[in-house]
Amino acid sequence: MKSDFSSPQRQSLVGVVVMFGDTLQSTLRSLWPFLLVWAFRINQMNRLYVVTVIGAALILTAVIAYLKFYNFTFFLDEDNEEFVIRKGILNKSRIAIPLDKIQQVNINQSLIQKFIGVHSLEVDTAGSSKKEVTIKAITHDLALSLKERLLESEKNYTGETEATDNSRRDAAHPYISISFASLLKTGITSNYARSFALLFAFVITIYQNIEDYFEGEGYENDPLDEYVNGEVLIKFAAFIALAIIVLTLLVNLSRTILKYFGYTITLQNKSLLLSYGLLNTKNTIIRPEKVQIVAVGRNYFQKKMDIQDVRISQASNNDDAKEQQKEAIEIPGCSEVEKDELLTFLLGQVPQKGEGLKPNIRKIILNTVRFIIIPLALYFVFAIWFYNELFEYMIFLPLYLAFIISMIYFGYRNSRLYSTKDFIIKQSGAWDVDNEFLAPHKIQAVRLTQYFWQKKANLGAIKLYTAGGNLTFSVADYSRLKELANYWLYNVETTDKNWM
């Protein structure tokens, strides 16, 4: 039975709980400085006064939450082909979204929504970098029905969709399911650098706080100095390094399982429906025509375990590169067969690498200056003239140099730009090697850059702009880059394919 959205309707009644939680959370975030001061003085206040204030605040929050729920309605205006939302308590507003402007509809479920059995529905439209509308409490069946209707582009929806609804539901079937074993492999083989750096910084901070404590207590010498010698220091450093590695694996494993547990991909109506998450469940749709860039990444251990991560960038209205990366959809732990199936469905075929262009050897020199010479120069300047305590960390310099040198070398060796008739492939990365696939007809702009000191060596960089992100390749043969740019622009002008 098809749901009727022609008349205004409210969210699920239990959505008041979600509204209460969101209102309370936003209030605490805005008033946290005052609440912090109040918490330190709570022992000096009258207990009855404190309980009365807290009770009144909770009652007021509950009233606001109910009014938000009561005044929030949504419906479909079939005559004007618009999705209409009315909301607000004192300042009421009416939002009308043309159906042909809707790009994406996502169904998510947070932990509190799981407890009360509702979902949230987010609507993303063209011309906005933010989620246009979020319905925070709606049943799963109603969310699916509304999502299907909002993504339907035909004008004569009532007649045609009713005729094809059953066939669409029957056509939906599991396409790929990421197993728990694959998530375990992904968790212990990914995101080393970020997690290790955070934990290492945490250990250094703890060590510095201990030093400051002994100094603040008036000890002329560190009490631990008499127990510490070279052998003990080496054992302690090895223990800390091992502890950081173990914690890094545990953090990555926990993050991967919590975020991607139960990852299933369903093929439905020429689109992919993705569902995943242990505590916060997310559902999103991928349409091949909206896909701009597909990236496949793996490291040495993942290669041995036959897993890789697929990252999909769809058309977005956000111009910020970091935000575009956050919006990219990740599919972790894919096998070689699953990866090929995804690429074939999204790109029409599995891209093959053609003629390769590699960066000039000067890229190694440039990165050496950026990541070794300049940081070490700054370190010694501050250590000699400002903070002599920095010399205590000299023991970590060999590790830093070994790490950076290996990253520079392997980053250069893996850096390539491949070009074929159908695809542009950028390969990059030192440890995690990524291959980014872009069809030339998705290109919206090309930028060639050559600084004055690069002219003599005939070097430069190229940047390809798409609606889902950018590809950059630098310190390469400038003449060859111009040839490739002209070839790709020619393909854009002559192809009969659309970028979306």
Side-chain angles (χ1 to χ4, degrees):
M1 182 177 179
K2 185 162 292 299
S3 301
D4 180 21
F5 298 106
S6 60
S7 59
Q9 55 185 290
R10 295 185 176 88
Q11 303 173 82
S12 301
L13 182 59
V14 290
V16 175
V17 178
V18 180
M19 298 290 186
F20 178 81
D22 289 343
T23 304
L24 183 61
Q25 184 181 31
S26 61
T27 302
L28 293 177
R29 285 182 177 179
S30 60
L31 298 178
W32 72 265
F34 304 100
L35 296 175
L36 187 61
V37 174
W38 197 43
F40 280 110
R41 297 180 179 179
I42 193 170
N43 293 328
Q44 305 172 8
M45 298 179 181
N46 185 287
R47 295 296 178 88
L48 180 60
Y49 170 75
V50 173
V51 173
T52 302
V53 171
I54 293 177
L58 292 177
I59 293 174
L60 180 61
T61 302
V63 171
I64 294 174
Y66 178 77
L67 291 176
K68 283 184 176 180
F69 160 80
Y70 186 80
N71 292 324
F72 189 100
T73 61
F74 59 93
F75 69 96
L76 283 169
D77 185 343
E78 298 288 352
D79 295 332
N80 297 319
E81 285 290 315
E82 293 178 338
F83 182 48
V84 181
I85 299 93
R86 292 192 177 100
K87 61 180 181 177
I89 300 177
L90 297 178
N91 296 324
K92 296 185 179 181
S93 61
R94 179 184 184 273
I95 302 173
I97 305 173
L99 296 183
D100 58 355
K101 298 295 184 182
I102 295 176
Q103 289 191 340
Q104 189 78 344
V105 179
N106 297 326
I107 301 175
N108 302 322
Q109 189 179 42
S110 65
L111 185 59
I112 188 173
Q113 289 170 332
K114 280 189 176 183
F115 286 143
I116 61 179
V118 295
H119 293 69
S120 66
L121 185 140
E122 296 178 344
V123 180
D124 185 14
T125 64
S128 175
S129 59
K130 301 179 181 179
K131 299 300 179 186
E132 190 75 22
V133 169
T134 300
I135 301 175
K136 296 184 178 180
I138 186 173
T139 62
H140 188 247
D141 291 339
L142 194 63
L144 290 176
S145 182
L146 179 57
K147 178 178 181 177
E148 182 179 0
R149 176 63 186 97
L150 292 176
L151 292 176
E152 182 62 54
S153 60
E154 286 85 352
K155 288 285 184 181
N156 299 323
Y157 164 75
T158 304
E160 183 175 348
T161 307
E162 287 181 355
T164 60
D165 180 71
N166 292 330
S167 63
R168 283 180 182 171
R169 293 186 182 273
D170 294 339
H173 62 276
Y175 187 59
I176 292 175
S177 179
I178 306 301
S179 66
F180 186 75
S182 296
L183 292 181
L184 290 178
K185 295 177 184 178
T186 302
I188 63 176
T189 58
S190 61
N191 295 321
Y192 292 127
R194 182 176 60 183
S195 299
F196 186 87
L198 290 175
L199 291 172
F200 181 76
F202 173 75
V203 171
I204 293 296
T205 303
I206 295 297
Y207 173 77
Q208 188 63 50
N209 288 335
I210 294 175
E211 291 283 333
D212 294 341
Y213 170 77
F214 286 135
E215 183 178 347
E217 290 295 320
Y219 293 101
E220 294 182 1
N221 298 315
D222 193 330
L224 298 177
D225 288 344
E226 57 183 283
Y227 302 101
V228 176
N229 53 41
E231 182 180 356
V232 173
L233 184 62
I234 292 175
K235 290 182 179 179
F236 177 73
F239 172 76
I240 292 298
L242 180 61
I244 292 177
I245 292 174
V246 172
L247 286 175
T248 299
L249 295 177
L250 291 176
V251 168
N252 289 340
L253 187 60
S254 302
R255 170 189 169 274
T256 302
I257 293 176
L258 289 175
K259 186 175 182 179
Y260 298 116
F261 181 80
Y263 208 120
T264 57
I265 304 175
T266 304
L267 180 61
Q268 183 178 24
N269 194 27
K270 299 182 180 179
S271 299
L272 295 181
L273 175 62
L274 280 58
S275 177
Y276 56 92
L278 183 59
L279 298 181
N280 297 325
T281 304
K282 294 189 175 182
N283 292 273
T284 188
I285 283 181
I286 298 179
R287 296 179 175 180
E289 62 270 16
K290 285 189 61 179
V291 173
Q292 303 295 301
I293 300 174
V294 179
V296 177
R298 63 170 17 169
N299 55 44
Y300 174 79
F301 294 124
Q302 291 175 333
K303 184 177 181 180
K304 293 298 182 181
M305 296 180 181
D306 187 31
I307 59 172
Q308 51 225 305
D309 297 335
V310 178
R311 187 174 68 254
I312 302 168
S313 299
Q314 299 190 96
S316 170
N317 296 295
N318 205 322
D319 295 329
D320 186 86
K322 292 183 179 180
E323 291 298 324
Q324 287 177 337
Q325 289 183 351
K326 291 181 181 179
E327 292 176 358
I329 299 171
E330 295 186 13
I331 305 177
C334 296
S335 66
E336 190 72 21
V337 174
E338 292 169 340
K339 181 261 295 183
D340 288 343
E341 289 181 359
L342 285 171
L343 292 179
T344 302
F345 182 83
L346 297 173
L347 303 178
Q349 59 180 296
V350 178
Q352 302 297 323
K353 294 178 179 178
E355 178 186 357
L357 177 64
K358 63 181 182 180
N360 189 274
I361 192 66
R362 287 176 173 82
K363 187 167 186 177
I364 292 182
I365 300 174
L366 178 63
N367 287 332
T368 301
V369 172
R370 290 175 57 191
F371 299 110
I372 295 180
I373 295 178
I374 293 178
L376 289 185
L378 292 174
Y379 170 78
F380 284 109
V381 166
F382 278 91
I384 294 174
W385 281 287
F386 300 102
Y387 305 102
N388 299 119
E389 297 83 0
L390 289 175
F391 282 114
E392 297 177 6
Y393 301 100
M394 284 280 291
I395 188 175
F396 298 110
L397 282 184
L399 295 176
Y400 173 78
L401 289 174
F403 175 76
I404 294 299
I405 289 173
S406 62
M407 291 295 102
I408 291 175
Y409 170 72
F410 287 106
Y412 170 78
R413 195 180 75 168
N414 294 328
S415 182
R416 295 290 186 274
L417 183 67
Y418 299 96
S419 176
T420 65
K421 178 182 177 181
D422 299 314
F423 294 100
I424 301 164
I425 305 174
K426 179 194 172 184
Q427 178 178 289
S428 61
W431 174 249
D432 292 292
V433 180
D434 292 333
N435 284 278
E436 298 175 89
F437 306 106
L438 168 65
H441 67 274
K442 301 285 185 177
I443 296 175
Q444 293 193 334
V446 177
R447 180 182 180 184
L448 288 164
T449 305
Q450 185 182 51
Y451 298 106
F452 68 89
W453 61 81
Q454 294 178 320
K455 289 185 178 181
K456 186 176 180 180
N458 192 33
L459 300 176
I462 189 170
K463 190 170 187 178
L464 306 177
Y465 294 86
T466 75
N470 308 321
L471 290 186
T472 303
F473 193 77
S474 59
V475 198
D477 187 329
Y478 190 65
S479 298
R480 181 56 184 155
L481 290 178
K482 288 193 294 184
E483 292 176 2
L484 291 173
N486 291 331
Y487 173 71
W488 293 330
L489 291 175
Y490 172 78
N491 284 344
V492 172
E493 294 293 334
T494 57
T495 185
D496 56 353
K497 299 178 181 178
N498 296 321
W499 65 272
M500 189 177 76

